[in-house]
């Protein structure tokens, strides 16, 4: 907690690209909130994604950052979508303690058709498929993966289903992305991306208070709900749902100011923010190690103009190798 709790009134204390943990003791709620600016802008602009794709990937990056910064061990947290829509693949990963990278793959023809038809909502771009959350503890444990169906609902709702199925913790997630057009200090036009998000979880001391209404069972389910929702969580969830998308991305609001607006009557407390950075985990040595596993025929087929060039899909860095570098030592 240290100095951060006392700094709640110092609005804009954390700033962009810093995750702010918070607690609302009066509602038994804990969570994290973030506004992403330069870090996100760097990830999106290097690929020159069309606006609908960039906005969708921005939401996935926010979700990854919010959940990844909760890891209590050295490892990697990955969020990946795979669907039959124009944007068939989104992947973002967070490597402890602070590194983020992300990538989107899409079909240009299908995307242009969707844009022309005005079908650019996230659920329309993703289509049907799956959203996978993967936690990798490296050599200290087996990877864990939770999979949720992409069923035509928003990423916010799908993330909530994930928590309900895998951790059985009442959770509300909010995500937003915005494209900004302004001018820099020299008066030149400038284009930027921003995004923000918040995750709130109900964690009372008495586990039985975490009971939630059953998920709908599909055809034939009459909608009966054997348990009511805890009043504290009902209040917290309702407050979170009042957040406007602009509040999550507006640099003039700031993370602490938003949390104060939401929960000040219940005694919200913020903790030391955690910075996140646009940093890829690729390296020349890692790629060289992969290429050394190729057969002589594969090495030959991979050459162009007498060299092998490999470009990282995440950071767009190109690594070039002479074929002789990949031959086994005699």
């Amino acid at each position: 907690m240290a100095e951060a709790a006392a700094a709640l009134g110092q609005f804009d204390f954390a700033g962009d690209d810093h995750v702010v943990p918070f607690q609302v003791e009066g509602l038994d709620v804990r969570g994290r909130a973030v506004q992403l600016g330069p870090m996100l802008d760097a990830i999106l602009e290097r690929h020159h994604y069309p606006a609908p794709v960039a906005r969708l990937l921005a939401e996935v990056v926010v979700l990854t950052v919010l959940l990844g910064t909760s890891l209590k061990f050295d490892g990697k947290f990955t969020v990946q979508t795979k669907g039959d829509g124009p944007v068939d693949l989104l992947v973002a990963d967070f490597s402890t303690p602070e590194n983020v990278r992300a990538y989107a793959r899409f079909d240009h023809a299908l995307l242009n058709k969707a844009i022309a038809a005005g079908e650019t909502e996230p659920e329309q771009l993703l289509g049907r498929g799956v959203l996978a959350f993967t936690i990798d503890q490296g050599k200290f444990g087996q990877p864990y993966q939770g999979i949720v169906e992409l069923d035509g609902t928003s990423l916010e709702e799908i993330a909530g289903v994930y928590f309900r199925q895998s951790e059985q913790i009442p959770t509300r997630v909010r995500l937003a992305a915005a494209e900004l057009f302004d001018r820099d200090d020299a008066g030149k036009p400038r284009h930027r991306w921003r995004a923000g998000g918040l995750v709130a979880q109900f964690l009372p001391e008495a586990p039985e208070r975490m009971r939630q209404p059953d998920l709908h069972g599909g055809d034939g389910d009459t909608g009966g709900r054997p348990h009511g929702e805890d009043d504290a969580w009902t209040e917290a969830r309702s407050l979170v749902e009042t957040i406007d998308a602009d509040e999550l991305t507006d640099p003039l609001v700031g993370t602490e100011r938003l949390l104060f607006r939401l929960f000040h009557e219940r005694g919200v407390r913020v903790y030391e923010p955690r910075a996140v950075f646009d940093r890829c985990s690729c390296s020349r040595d890692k790629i060289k190690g992969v290429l050394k596993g190729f057969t002589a025929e594969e090495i030959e087929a991979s050459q162009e103009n007498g060299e092998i060039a490999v470009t990282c899909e995440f950071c767009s860095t190109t690594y070039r190798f002479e074929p002789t570098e990949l031959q086994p030592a005699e």
Side-chain angles (χ1 to χ4, degrees):
M1 183 171 69
E3 301 172 358
L8 177 59
Q10 299 173 13
F11 298 138
D12 302 321
F13 173 79
D16 287 343
D17 305 335
H18 287 76
V19 178
V20 178
F22 67 89
Q23 181 176 358
V24 187
E25 294 177 350
L27 297 175
D28 292 313
V29 165
R30 294 184 181 182
R32 290 170 300 284
V34 70
Q35 284 194 347
L36 299 180
M39 183 275 283
L40 175 71
D41 199 45
I43 289 174
L44 299 180
E45 288 299 327
R46 72 165 57 98
H47 291 285
H48 304 292
Y49 291 120
V53 178
R55 184 173 290 106
L56 188 56
L57 185 59
E59 289 193 9
V60 172
V61 171
V62 173
L63 181 60
T64 303
V65 166
L66 287 173
L67 304 187
T69 50
S70 69
L71 295 181
K72 306 300 183 184
F73 50 83
D74 290 337
K76 179 183 290 185
F77 178 79
T78 303
V79 176
Q80 179 175 324
T81 70
K82 205 168 185 181
D84 62 4
V87 182
D88 65 325
L89 177 71
L90 295 169
V91 59
D93 63 47
F94 175 87
S95 297
T96 58
E98 58 194 12
N99 299 338
V100 183
R101 63 179 190 168
Y103 168 72
R105 186 178 69 195
F106 60 97
D107 184 297
H108 288 270
L110 290 178
L111 178 65
N112 290 335
K113 184 178 179 180
I115 292 173
E119 298 173 350
T120 57
E121 292 300 313
E123 52 269 29
Q124 295 171 317
L125 295 177
L126 293 173
R128 298 281 174 164
V130 296
L131 174 65
F133 298 84
T134 305
I135 299 173
D136 186 353
Q137 301 182 56
K139 62 182 180 180
F140 297 106
Q142 293 294 320
Y144 165 80
Q145 186 173 75
I147 296 178
V148 186
E149 180 185 5
L150 291 173
D151 60 358
T153 55
S154 70
L155 286 174
E156 291 181 347
E157 294 171 302
I158 293 170
V161 171
Y162 162 74
F163 277 103
R164 192 164 181 178
Q165 291 180 348
S166 65
E167 300 186 19
Q168 300 179 345
I169 298 174
T171 302
R172 185 68 172 98
V173 177
R174 296 299 312 275
L175 306 169
E179 191 176 14
L180 304 184
F181 298 90
D182 58 9
R183 294 183 180 274
D184 61 20
D185 295 338
K188 295 181 180 180
R190 178 174 58 177
H191 168 264
R192 293 182 294 158
W193 282 98
R194 294 184 60 80
L198 178 147
V199 57
Q201 296 186 300
F202 184 50
L203 295 166
E205 291 186 6
E208 61 270 17
R209 292 181 58 204
M210 295 169 60
R211 297 180 307 184
Q212 299 180 84
D214 290 340
L215 290 170
H216 196 280
D219 294 341
D221 189 341
T222 60
R225 299 293 182 265
H227 301 300
E229 190 174 69
D230 188 278
D231 290 343
W233 176 238
T234 298
E235 180 180 344
R237 182 175 51 77
S238 298
L239 290 171
V240 171
E241 289 172 355
T242 66
I243 301 173
D244 187 84
D246 291 342
E247 292 181 286
L248 289 170
T249 59
D250 189 343
L252 298 181
V253 173
T255 304
E256 285 86 0
R257 183 186 293 271
L258 175 60
L259 292 171
F260 184 79
R261 286 181 180 178
L262 287 174
F263 301 119
H264 67 280
E265 293 184 356
R266 287 294 196 163
V268 61
R269 180 178 299 178
V270 299
Y271 298 90
E272 184 176 355
R274 292 184 55 182
V276 291
F277 299 91
D278 163 35
R279 290 178 184 157
C280 190
S281 60
C282 72
S283 71
R284 182 179 179 81
D285 286 343
K286 286 182 179 180
I287 294 175
K288 185 176 181 179
V290 173
L291 293 176
K292 279 196 167 185
F294 283 21
T295 65
E297 291 77 13
E298 290 171 328
I299 291 293
E300 180 68 27
S302 301
Q303 294 182 45
E304 185 173 345
N305 298 323
E307 67 176 11
I308 297 174
V310 179
T311 300
C312 176
E313 292 181 325
F314 288 94
C315 67
S316 298
T317 299
T318 298
Y319 299 91
R320 302 182 185 278
F321 302 88
E322 297 291 333
T324 53
E325 296 180 70
L326 307 176
Q327 295 176 357
E330 296 183 359

